[in-house]
Every structure is written in structure tokens, then in C-alpha cells.
Amino acid sequence: EMVAWDKSSLQQMAQGVAGYLDTARLAGDVEEVVRELRSLTPKVDSLVKNDGTDVTLMVLDGTIPMFHNQKKYNCPVKFWMGLDYPASPPICYVSPTRDMGIKPRHVHVDNAGFIYHQYLTQWNVRSSLKDLCTTLTTVFSKDPPVYAKPSGGQAAAHTSQQATVNLQPAVQKPLPPPAASPESEPVRAPTAAAAHSQPPSRNPPSQASSRPPPPSTSSQPAPPSWAASGAGGWAVGSSLAATTAAEEESKDSLVLFVMSKINAKYENFRRGNEVEFDEFQTQQTDLEVTQQKLTHAHEALISEKTYLLNLLDEMDTAESVITAYLTHIENRGKPQDPKDAPQVESLVHASDALAQQLMDCVSQDRAIEDVLYELDCALGDGKIETPEYLRLVHRLSRQQFKEKEVVHRILAKRRSLGVY
């Protein structure tokens, strides 16, 4: 029965394991995988490390599809997510069942089932479990990491069939029984007359009687045809056995030769991939360094932009001040309303009391001088009578004298104080 996993339940499962740093990201990636691959089941289990310690982690257990020879197969896998996921890649294993075996010398899977792949070595925070499953499906479809073990009955039948095939060339047809021939006829015992007529032999009688007479080319008949065919049958059987042994030896030599070629080609392929992988690693490092430089340059440009914007605001403020000052300068040359004109007394201020008194006395003195000048002009023009003129001149002269005396005393006081 398939269980419908959602992100909240997966996040609760991840939060039940102590140590996970980003449970939301972990739950999202796992939910994305199990939504596409129902054959993978998330659960919590213990992983035994190489040092003998075990750690409780979240694991995806099940199968991923692979397509080989236009047929779909299921490859059993386990994906263990570390506590710092997604900063580090998952620990991936191929976990074959009892009737499966791991393919020896696989490019991406070792004998213990540990999975090696470039996607795992170049893992980053933008990688995902879904892309990992897609990549492994593509890789395992090209080169399956597991194979089905033959059952016991099939293995015994295969072994007996191979033994029968190997023994067939040695079975020969039975030969026909031998017939009587001149060489095989028994030697008759000599008669008494013949024994007296023949000289005695040095050899024992048994050896002399068992030795056949010397062959005669003129009187010996040709061997029958069955004898030639029987001897030829034994020769053909021996030749066939020798040929079979030579073929087996040739097959073994050919298999060893092909295996050596395959191993050499695999080593060259692996070395070439290692060199290419090192080049990709170097390019990856260079790209990361370039990315850091571009990030620093981007931050520097943002800082300079902020500085220039602040400087532009300051220049706008200075421009407004300069514009107001120029407007004020232009308006100074224009005639102003006397009411709007500033008072002269408010434009100049003395630094201390004596300076202020001195300024007032000097101003009074200059003002009296101006009044006396105007009285002279009025008397000359007949605008004022002589008695009135004399009375005003007398009063203004006395006041002017007092102002000048005060000025002399203030100057003397400032000299004594060392102020000029």
C-alpha cells in the first residue's frame, strides 16, 4: 500500500532526528522525489560509520528505474541524508537483494555498493535529490550495477550440460571382433622326426614357439578391409580428442586475451576520465574564484554607487545655496523699498562695550559735522536767519566737543589696555 507523503509529515519526521540544520529544505527535496518515484520510501534508520559508531539519519529506501535493452528494471538503492544536508551530498548505496549481485569493477559502484559519481562530487546547495535520481537512472541504464544470480537448479543443469558436451568427443563406436590371420595363427609343435632333424635351439622352447616366422613379402596376403577401418576409427577418436583439447586451450587463450584487452581499455578509459575529472575540478575552482571576484566587484560597485548618489545630493544642496546667493547678489543692484532696506545700525556690531561707545561717539561727531555743513548751506541760501543759525551752531559745537573728548578718552583707555 502506497503512503502519500506530504511536506509537513516529512518535516515532522526530520525534526524527530536530532541534529538536522535545515529540515524544511530536506522535507521539500524528499517530498519532490517521492511524488515522482513511489518506489522510494522515506524513513529513519541508523547508519554505521567506518569507525564503528552509528548515527540516526533520514534515509530514502527503495528502487529507482533503469532501462536496459528496451526493458525496465528496478535497481535497489538507499540514500542517506547527512545532518548538514543540503550543504553535503547524500550517502548513496546500491543495496542488492539475495538473488542479486553487484557487477564487478563497475565504473560508479564499488564492491560494497557505494556509489561514486561526478554529480555527488560537485554537489552544492542548488543540487537536489530529484536530479540525482534522474542522473543515476541515466547512468545505470547505460551500465547496470547489479545482475541476477542464477538459481541452484539452473546452475546444476548448466554444469551437467557442459560436462556432457565436453565428454561427447571421447565416445567411440565399438570395433568388430578380429578374424584369423597368418600372423595370429598358433604355432604347431614339431614332430619327432622334425625335432631330430632340426638343430637344438639356445632359447627356451616357450620363447621359440611364441616367436612368429619372419614375414614373406611374396606369400603374405594383404590385411582385410575391416582391420584397416578399425584402426582408422581409433586414430580418428584420438585425433578428435586432441582437437577438442586444442580448441579448449585456444578458447581459454582467447578469453584471456580479450579480458586483457578489455581491462587495458577500461584502465585507459578510467585514467582518461580521471584526467578529465581533474580538469573539470580545476575549471570548477577557477569558476568559483571568478565568482568570488565578481561578487566583490559587484559589492564595490554598489558601494561606489551609494557614495556617488550621496555626493550628488550634496552637490544639489550646494547648487541651491549658490543659486540663492546669486539671486541675492542680482537683487542687490536693483532699487529697494526703503521699508525693506536694512538698518545701518543692525549691520555692524562692536566686539565690546568700549568699542560700541567709541563707534557711537564717532557717529555722533560725523553727524554733527553733516548738520553744520547743511546749516552753512541754508544760511548762504537765506533759508535760515542769522540768530537762529548762531544758536544752533553754538549748541551743536558744544555737543561735538563733548563727543570728541569722549573719543579721546576711549582711545587712551584702549591704549592702556593694549587694544587698538
Side-chain angles (χ1 to χ4, degrees):
E1 182 180 357
M2 295 293 180
V3 178
W5 297 96
D6 56 356
K7 187 174 181 180
S8 60
S9 61
L10 292 172
Q11 189 169 1
Q12 291 178 0
M13 179 186 296
Q15 290 174 353
V17 180
Y20 274 116
L21 301 180
D22 193 351
T23 56
R25 170 65 187 277
L26 175 59
D29 288 357
V30 172
E31 192 268 338
E32 184 181 16
V33 171
V34 298
R35 187 173 62 248
E36 297 292 335
L37 298 176
R38 299 283 183 170
S39 57
L40 291 175
T41 303
K43 61 182 180 179
V44 176
D45 204 349
S46 296
L47 174 66
V48 180
K49 297 183 179 179
N50 294 331
D51 56 359
T53 61
D54 57 348
V55 59
T56 302
L57 298 174
M58 193 171 179
V59 59
L60 276 174
D61 189 3
T63 61
I64 60 174
M66 58 181 182
F67 302 90
H68 187 66
N69 294 333
Q70 299 180 354
K71 293 183 179 180
K72 180 181 178 182
Y73 298 91
N74 293 322
C75 181
V77 293
K78 284 187 177 181
F79 299 152
W80 299 84
M81 274 65 73
L83 296 178
D84 56 347
Y85 182 90
S88 63
I91 304 171
C92 304
Y93 281 94
V94 172
S95 56
T97 58
R98 293 182 178 180
D99 56 347
M100 290 185 181
I102 296 178
K103 182 179 180 181
R105 297 183 295 274
H106 195 272
V107 179
H108 300 290
V109 181
D110 62 7
N111 294 332
F114 187 79
I115 299 175
Y116 303 88
H117 196 267
Q118 185 177 0
Y119 189 85
L120 294 172
T121 58
Q122 296 182 358
W123 182 275
N124 53 62
V125 294
R126 295 186 297 273
S127 303
S128 65
L129 292 173
K130 181 181 178 181
D131 295 340
L132 173 62
C133 292
T134 303
T135 302
L136 293 181
T137 296
T138 303
V139 171
F140 290 166
S141 296
K142 295 179 181 178
D143 187 8
V146 293
Y147 64 92
K149 294 181 180 179
S151 61
Q154 293 178 354
H158 178 72
T159 304
S160 63
Q161 182 181 2
Q162 185 176 5
T164 305
V165 172
N166 292 334
L167 290 176
Q168 280 179 357
V171 177
Q172 305 296 333
K173 295 181 179 180
L175 296 176
S181 63
E183 289 84 356
S184 62
E185 289 181 356
V187 179
R188 294 186 178 86
T191 62
H196 289 290
S197 64
Q198 290 180 355
S201 176
R202 295 181 180 179
N203 294 329
S206 61
Q207 293 181 2
S209 62
S210 62
R211 180 180 299 175
S216 176
T217 57
S218 58
S219 61
Q220 186 177 2
S225 60
W226 65 264
S229 63
W234 283 106
V236 170
S238 302
S239 176
L240 184 58
T243 303
T244 303
E247 288 180 356
E248 292 295 331
E249 185 178 358
S250 176
K251 286 181 181 179
D252 295 339
S253 302
L254 182 60
V255 168
L256 292 176
F257 176 75
V258 172
M259 288 298 297
S260 63
K261 287 292 185 181
I262 292 175
N263 290 333
K265 188 174 181 180
Y266 167 73
E267 288 295 328
N268 294 332
F269 175 75
R270 184 178 60 83
R271 292 173 184 173
N273 283 347
E274 288 180 354
V275 173
E276 187 176 2
F277 176 74
D278 293 338
E279 293 178 355
F280 285 154
Q281 284 290 100
T282 304
Q283 293 179 3
Q284 179 73 16
T285 304
D286 296 340
L287 289 175
E288 290 178 355
V289 172
T290 304
Q291 183 181 8
Q292 292 179 357
K293 291 182 179 179
L294 291 176
T295 302
H296 295 329
H298 181 66
E299 293 176 354
L301 288 175
I302 292 176
S303 177
E304 186 174 359
K305 179 182 178 181
T306 304
Y307 169 75
L308 292 176
L309 290 176
N310 294 333
L311 185 61
L312 184 62
D313 293 338
E314 294 178 0
M315 293 180 66
D316 291 338
T317 304
E319 182 182 6
S320 62
V321 172
I322 293 173
T323 302
Y325 179 75
L326 291 176
T327 304
H328 174 70
I329 295 299
E330 291 175 356
N331 293 333
R332 286 180 61 182
K334 297 179 180 180
Q336 297 181 353
D337 190 359
K339 295 181 180 180
D340 298 334
Q343 298 294 326
V344 178
E345 293 81 0
S346 62
L347 297 178
V348 181
H349 300 279
S351 60
D352 53 20
L354 287 177
Q356 184 65 37
Q357 187 178 6
L358 178 61
M359 186 168 33
D360 293 340
C361 292
V362 171
S363 299
Q364 286 292 112
D365 182 25
R366 297 294 186 269
I368 292 173
E369 285 288 341
D370 294 339
V371 172
L372 291 176
Y373 175 77
E374 292 296 331
L375 287 174
D376 289 340
C377 293
L379 181 63
D381 295 336
K383 295 180 180 180
I384 187 173
E385 298 293 333
T386 302
E388 184 66 20
Y389 169 75
L390 293 176
R391 187 180 62 83
L392 292 174
V393 168
H394 176 70
R395 185 168 61 85
L396 291 173
S397 298
R398 286 176 60 87
Q399 185 177 356
Q400 185 180 18
F401 176 76
K402 291 180 181 179
E403 297 295 338
K404 289 184 177 182
E405 182 64 23
V406 173
V407 169
H408 287 301
R409 289 183 180 182
I410 291 173
L411 292 176
K413 182 67 174 178
R414 291 176 67 85
R415 290 192 197 97
S416 63
L417 296 175
V419 180
Y420 299 96

